Amino acid sequence: MPSPVSADRPAAQPPGRGSVEALITQARRLKGDVNAVRRDTRSDGADPEERWQRALYDLALHQLDDLDAHLAQLRDGPPPAPAEPAAPPAGRPAPAAAPSGSLLCRVGSAEWNLLTDEATWSGELYQILGLDPARPALTLDELPSLVLDEDRPKLTAMVTDCLVDAKPIDGEFRVVRPDGSVRTVHMMGEPVLGADGGTTSMWAVLRDVSELRRSQRTVHETRDSLHRHRRQEQTEHRIAAELQEAVLPPWRGSLRLPRQGPGTLDLAAHRLPAATATLLGGDWYDALELTDGRTLLSVGDLTGQGVAVASGMATLLGAVRGMAMAGTEPGQLLTLLNQLLDTTVQPALGSAVCCRYQPETRTLVWAQAGHPAPLLYRDGTGRVLNTPDGVLLGASSGAVYGQSVVTLRPGDLLLLHTDGLMSGHSRTAAVDRLLGLAPRFGAARAAQDCVRTVVEEFGGAGREDDACVLVARVTT
């Protein structure tokens, strides 16, 4: 790129060609590595963090493209002055300029002679601005005619400071090309001083940074989108946690129901959170003493995550409690619950187990809706209770749910859990692990100790989903 040098300024020595070639090789190798990693990132726009990463890779590639082009120009030296184009034959249009998107067309140079009011532009500058190189270069007074109205004061201030106060130019402005496209141009320049110390001319290097700025805007926008997405997730997580905390039973530790009478159940429960800090699911557990002295035990799970699911879980749990207090049998309760879920505005699926315990006879009547069956531990061994018919809640309109009856004995232990307890394991393997805890349950003094044992076995760092576990032990 030609650039005038004042008489007082020594000419810079060109760098060794070998060192520039080495830099070009390193830049291109790095560009290949970045591009390889970029291809491995997803481009479907599903995850804000992935969009942000891809935008950063695009920005890095644009900057490496510019570096490659600049090093190539440094290696090849100043381009020859553009030849005066021959006039086209009459009636034939002038040949089109080289496309401005090519790398070597991104940087041009100019000199404005203040003594003669002449302007000299490189061919690259014509291409950046989209102008016909056959036309005379624009003077400093004419240059603002290409600039967007809101950017003209900025250009005027930079040129004035350079010519009057001998300040270097370093700034950007936007130009409108004849085809209507807008380009962002970065301008760096200096005044050229005469022997008397006055400014005789001004030279500048102008660089088309439109694609670079577009990539930077994309990075900023996707970063902001990622931050908003994360703040929204944090807010939803907090609201869902507060809602879940408000709905789940208020008791912590152990509970004995009914509070009076024979056949008391020693109860304990726990919610196991997922290992990752994602949105909460719709798992619940409940133990409720009914008006006739019986006890309701239930666990369930509404599919999905977030505030909407936590709200739906609260609705289902409230319906379970209300119908149970009204004396509805477990099978009919799930039938009505299925109808309730079927009429919701947003379709959803859920699973549940509902048990009604009669303390006088130690009779357990239970029903399930697509849910893992309760496990019964007796005399040091465990087994899965025979499962009555029942499909997922919300899966089929008009579904009917069967019931099973089990007579319990003093010392029996009943374990109810949601499906999330088995995350990361096959159902068969998880059930075998739970049944294998029978000796430890037999040695436990209280239901709370049994819950701690389950948490030790299934509450590790690799949990993929929320889960609830409820233990009921017949004490008398």
Side-chain angles (χ1 to χ4, degrees):
M1 293 177 297
S3 59
V5 181
S6 70
D8 299 332
R9 181 172 43 186
Q13 296 299 317
R17 187 180 183 89
S19 61
V20 176
E21 287 287 359
L23 289 173
I24 291 175
T25 300
Q26 293 177 16
R28 291 177 179 175
R29 183 184 298 115
L30 179 58
K31 184 167 64 174
D33 293 340
V34 172
N35 196 37
V37 176
R38 173 186 172 275
R39 285 197 299 267
D40 292 337
T41 62
R42 295 177 59 184
S43 58
D44 56 9
D47 187 339
E49 186 165 0
E50 290 173 351
R51 293 201 304 269
W52 178 64
Q53 291 173 348
R54 190 174 180 84
L56 283 177
Y57 287 134
D58 289 341
L59 177 58
L61 287 173
H62 279 309
Q63 292 175 326
L64 287 170
D65 280 342
D66 281 349
L67 177 61
D68 188 10
H70 297 163
L71 289 173
Q73 288 181 322
L74 186 62
R75 175 196 62 195
D76 299 336
E84 191 71 27
R92 181 176 300 176
S100 61
S102 60
L103 289 176
L104 296 183
C105 296
R106 288 182 178 172
V107 181
S109 61
E111 180 182 7
W112 290 275
N113 191 313
L114 304 182
L115 302 180
T116 63
D117 200 26
E118 293 178 337
T120 304
W121 286 6
S122 68
E124 293 85 358
L125 184 54
Y126 280 98
Q127 294 175 18
I128 290 174
L129 301 178
L131 299 178
D132 183 358
R135 295 178 54 185
L138 300 183
T139 66
L140 284 176
D141 292 334
E142 297 169 332
L143 183 62
S145 65
L146 300 178
V147 180
L148 282 179
D149 291 345
E150 55 264 38
D151 289 357
R152 286 177 186 172
K154 183 190 305 182
L155 174 63
T156 301
M158 289 191 299
V159 171
T160 301
D161 288 343
C162 180
L163 299 181
V164 176
D165 298 326
K167 292 182 179 179
I169 291 177
D170 187 356
E172 292 182 6
F173 51 87
R174 291 165 295 171
V175 299
V176 181
R177 292 157 46 119
D179 61 4
S181 62
V182 177
R183 310 297 292 179
T184 302
V185 176
H186 181 225
M187 183 177 184
M188 297 183 66
E190 291 183 0
V192 178
L193 304 180
D196 59 355
T199 302
T200 61
S201 63
M202 188 187 83
W203 68 270
V205 173
L206 294 95
R207 176 172 170 237
D208 185 349
V209 294
S210 304
E211 295 304 317
L212 185 61
R213 295 298 174 255
R214 181 195 62 77
S215 296
Q216 289 175 333
R217 285 194 300 271
T218 301
V219 169
H220 293 157
E221 290 169 359
T222 52
R223 181 184 60 194
D224 292 344
S225 175
L226 177 60
H227 289 166
R228 288 194 300 270
H229 182 73
R230 286 176 174 170
R231 286 196 297 269
Q232 182 180 0
E233 279 190 345
Q234 292 169 355
T235 300
E236 289 194 3
H237 186 278
R238 176 180 55 79
I239 295 174
E242 291 175 354
L243 183 57
Q244 192 176 62
E245 185 72 15
V247 171
L248 291 180
W251 50 272
R252 296 292 183 268
S254 61
L255 177 70
R256 288 182 178 269
L257 293 178
R259 292 176 174 82
Q260 296 179 353
T264 303
L265 293 178
D266 175 25
L267 299 166
H270 187 74
R271 187 183 70 83
L272 290 78
T276 56
T278 56
L279 297 176
L280 297 178
D283 295 66
W284 87 77
Y285 65 85
D286 196 22
L288 179 66
E289 184 176 359
L290 305 177
T291 54
D292 57 4
R294 291 178 294 182
T295 298
L296 170 73
L297 305 177
S298 69
V299 295
D301 180 16
L302 193 63
T303 57
Q305 292 178 326
V307 176
V309 172
S311 177
M313 177 269 289
T315 300
L316 290 184
L317 184 53
V320 169
R321 290 171 174 172
M323 287 187 285
M325 292 296 288
T328 308
E329 294 288 327
Q332 179 64 13
L333 189 153
L334 291 180
T335 299
L336 296 174
L337 208 61
N338 180 65
Q339 295 176 8
L340 174 64
L341 199 59
D342 191 47
T343 60
T344 56
V345 176
Q346 293 183 339
L349 294 175
S351 67
V353 165
C354 288
C355 307
R356 187 198 65 192
Y357 179 67
Q358 179 69 45
E360 290 83 5
T361 60
R362 301 192 185 93
T363 302
L364 184 80
V365 181
W366 71 283
Q368 65 84 29
H371 199 89
L375 306 181
L376 176 62
Y377 297 84
R378 176 180 290 171
D379 300 331
T381 61
R383 66 180 178 90
V384 181
L385 294 182
N386 295 327
T387 305
D389 293 335
V391 298
L392 284 170
L393 298 172
S396 176
S397 299
V400 177
Y401 296 84
Q403 294 185 161
S404 288
V405 181
V406 180
T407 300
L408 302 180
R409 304 174 186 172
D412 283 355
L413 186 141
L414 199 66
L415 189 149
L416 286 69
H417 65 87
T418 58
D419 201 47
L421 189 66
M422 300 178 176
S423 65
H425 309 277
S426 68
R427 177 165 293 193
T428 300
V431 170
D432 288 343
R433 285 183 62 187
L434 284 170
L435 294 178
L437 298 177
R440 297 174 64 180
F441 288 167
R445 293 177 297 177
Q448 185 66 41
D449 297 328
C450 298
V451 168
R452 291 194 187 98
T453 298
V454 175
V455 173
E456 290 172 2
E457 288 291 322
F458 292 88
R463 291 202 50 74
E464 299 175 0
D465 197 4
D466 292 350
C468 289
V469 58
L470 172 64
V471 171
R473 188 174 185 179
V474 181
T475 59
T476 57

